Amino acid sequence: LYTTVTTEAVVSTQSTGDDPESQPSPCNLDEKLNDFQKLCMLKCFRVDRVYRGVTNYVTGKMGEKYVTPPVVTFEAIFEQSSPISPVVFILSPGSDPASDLMKLADRTGFGGNRLKFLAMGQGQEKAALQLLDTAITRGQWLMLQNCHLLVNWLVDLEKALEKIQKPHPEFRLWLTTEPTPRFPVGILQRSFKVVTEPPNGLKLNLRQTYVKIPSTALQECTHEAFPELMFVLGFFHAVVQERRKYGKIGWNIPYDFNESDLRVCMELMKTYLDKSMEIDGKIPWSSLKYLIGEVMYGGRAIDNYDRRIINTYMDEYMGDFIFDSFQPFFFYKDKEVAYNIPKETHRDKFLEYIEELPLANTPCVFGLHSNAEIGYFTNAAKDMCSYMIELQPQTSSSDGGISREQYIEKVAVDIEEKLPALFELDRIRKQLGEITPTAVVLLQELERFNILISKMKISVATLQRALAGEVGMSAELDEIAKALFNGQIPASWRRLAPDTLKSLGNWIAHFTHRFEQYSGWIEKGEPAVMWLSGLHIPESYLTALVQATCRKNGWPLDKSTLYTTVTTHTKAEDVREKLHSGCYVEGLYLEGASWDVQSACLRKSKPKVLVEELPVLKIIPIEAHRLKLQNTFKTPVYTTSERRNAMGVGLVFEADLSTTDHSSHWVLQGVALMLNAD
């Protein structure tokens, strides 16, 4: 490639276009490169477009049917089922086959007592087997839901299915499960497997909502605003589902909002509006926003920042302002499309309006920045590449090149040469003298770092002996060898290190930087600018700062907090002196927004810039009652771009960032700070 064109020409063409995978290649490369080589070039310059590029490649080589999900109806599923072959629904978040199965049962004469449901859970094993025996004998339909919750019991179900000799011809067994590697293979081999997914896209989601609403449902409520509020509810339901595909910038935890949430909220809205007509006809906004945002949808959200997003949508979508005739309300509006509330009363009219909406929509409709789509496609491409690495041959090379074992040994030797000596904790403890709260943190950090160094030294030394045939290759050593070959961090090392999403090479550089910070802390004292990413438990250092300040000033510890402000220093070297109370922090990365250094406030993200480094942050412990903030956005600070998981792990602290926009704008943008860039 470099011998035929200039790098600048390729970069300028490939990196600036919105859809480079569909555009002609620069410098007549279409004549010199085949389709796969052009795909490799796309991977070099625009990772976010690889997913679409692969889709085009497969379509061109094999046909569109290999990239288009088949349209599966429940009637077709029923026709292909049999009494001896269960139907297994492999669920994805937001899918709910139970309601569709009930409708199928009603259409085929299996409604009422002929269709049995059982939600699996602890203590339901005997009841499930009893219902199975009854259904086999009487020709009933039986659906066992959430089978992944009782994976061990499924072995008993497999044995029961093997014993079936002459079942009733109308008997059917329906199972639902989330993807799990422990699901019995025997059941999967004899079953008809169906992957159920919610509609992809705002238009398809709204269409499904209104297709499933009875044609007379919008006239059942006496309040005239019910049809329009029902559209608002359907739009909100589609939005919260669609945010999920944008990963952690959409939701910290991918919730399975489904059709049952929408149906219950629809009934709640109808009930409250009917009651309001008996009083004064005013819409009870506060009650509706609480029941929908806090109870139904918010009840699923176990993360406070996710719940903040839901409540923001409630404030943006629900209020008397949506009926303002002087200033028409729009969910979103730009030069190409406008999402508003149609002034209709019949379901079919709403469906006509939905059909006119564009099939694809920008993330801006959900309040996200257009960069969110880049992140979505980038993560999809990374996942695809990681799966390809896992599937590549793990055998030795015999074509004269370097063998797999030689490559692994080379990497192991290189890592071994970079490993430092263990820290002498007893000597360091004496050197520190007075043990302050931050000194305690340093000693704890060094102790953990020593454990990691010891593990790495033993691992690479033993691995080299195993490759030489001096010792046996254990399962752990085999896992380490595989990780080193694939450029990944071995699991046994990852467990002893701070959370990270880095590749092996970047992680070793991070490891070396950590050692340098610890060494400088020991020799020169506490650094003027702390690199929090280099600490195993960064929140412990911030807690130590508060403790030290409270001891010094006599403040109550439980009534103290942290005050944060972004400085004008873009580099740690610009900081000349250490703070008397608190610290400076470097190495924070801003996602979902950019930082205006001159105005010292948040700004809209720059196009195609997903993450940018924040200037040095000043953190000062302060008494909580003295902290008076205005025009700031409370921004969560996470360890990695994975943000916080369902167990609450990953959040370090909260930073208050100045803003001239309303905080709801940044809430929907998913703005957050990270200690590590991927």
Side-chain angles (χ1 to χ4, degrees), residues 550-571:
C550 288
R551 289 182 184 180
K552 179 180 178 182
N553 299 324
W555 297 343
L557 184 61
D558 60 338
K559 295 183 180 179
S560 300
T561 186
L562 295 174
Y563 165 70
T564 61
T565 181
V566 182
T567 69
T568 57
H569 306 307
T570 56
K571 297 180 180 179

Side-chain angles (χ1 to χ4, degrees), residues 226-461:
F226 179 70
E228 293 165 284
L229 288 180
M230 183 57 214
F231 185 84
V232 172
L233 180 61
F235 194 92
F236 166 74
H237 178 74
V239 165
V240 296
Q241 283 196 318
E242 286 299 303
R243 276 188 76 100
R244 187 172 52 232
K245 76 178 184 181
Y246 297 104
K248 294 294 183 176
I249 203 170
W251 300 108
N252 277 349
I253 302 166
Y255 305 103
D256 56 341
F257 302 115
N258 54 47
E259 187 183 342
S260 62
D261 299 317
L262 180 65
R263 288 200 306 269
V264 173
C265 289
M266 180 179 174
E267 291 299 322
L268 285 172
M269 186 178 290
K270 177 178 176 298
T271 301
Y272 273 76
L273 290 178
D274 284 337
K275 288 184 178 180
S276 71
M277 289 299 294
E278 299 173 3
I279 304 174
D280 54 8
K282 293 183 179 179
I283 300 175
W285 291 115
S286 58
S287 298
L288 290 176
K289 288 161 71 173
Y290 178 79
L291 289 171
I292 297 173
E294 287 284 357
V295 178
M296 292 307 304
Y297 286 87
R300 288 186 181 273
I302 61 178
D303 183 90
N304 292 335
Y305 298 104
D306 289 342
R307 195 176 294 112
R308 182 172 68 168
I309 292 174
I310 293 175
N311 290 331
T312 301
Y313 278 127
M314 288 287 99
D315 294 336
E316 294 289 326
Y317 291 172
M318 290 197 166
D320 290 326
F321 56 84
I322 67 175
F323 301 113
D324 192 339
S325 57
F326 296 100
Q327 188 175 358
F329 171 76
F330 292 93
F331 296 105
Y332 174 76
K333 183 180 180 181
D334 61 17
K335 296 179 181 179
E336 299 178 356
V337 66
Y339 292 88
N340 61 346
I341 306 174
K343 305 294 183 181
E344 305 291 349
T345 57
H346 296 282
R347 186 200 67 169
D348 293 342
K349 294 293 183 181
F350 280 100
L351 279 171
E352 291 177 7
Y353 170 80
I354 293 170
E355 290 300 326
E356 295 175 357
L357 296 176
L359 186 62
N361 52 268
T362 170
C364 301
V365 179
F366 316 125
L368 293 164
H369 192 273
S370 56
N371 286 348
E373 189 171 45
I374 298 177
Y376 165 65
F377 284 124
T378 299
N379 291 332
K382 286 181 179 179
D383 290 341
M384 181 170 58
C385 291
S386 66
Y387 297 146
M388 292 171 65
I389 290 174
E390 291 292 331
L391 292 172
Q392 72 177 342
Q394 302 294 321
T395 57
S396 301
S397 173
S398 59
D399 57 0
I402 184 173
S403 67
R404 178 178 182 269
E405 288 74 15
Q406 290 173 328
Y407 177 80
I408 294 172
E409 184 178 11
K410 181 177 179 297
V411 174
V413 170
D414 185 52
I415 292 175
E416 187 175 35
E417 292 175 350
K418 294 179 179 179
L419 292 178
L422 297 177
F423 287 104
E424 300 177 18
L425 296 183
D426 292 335
R427 181 187 63 81
I428 294 171
R429 190 176 286 107
K430 293 178 181 179
Q431 179 180 335
L432 292 174
E434 181 185 358
I435 302 299
T436 62
T438 53
V440 172
V441 172
L442 173 60
L443 292 172
Q444 292 174 343
E445 288 285 326
L446 295 179
E447 185 177 354
R448 295 187 181 94
F449 198 66
N450 276 351
I451 295 174
L452 176 59
I453 295 174
S454 299
K455 181 64 177 178
M456 293 174 67
K457 284 186 174 182
I458 295 172
S459 296
V460 294

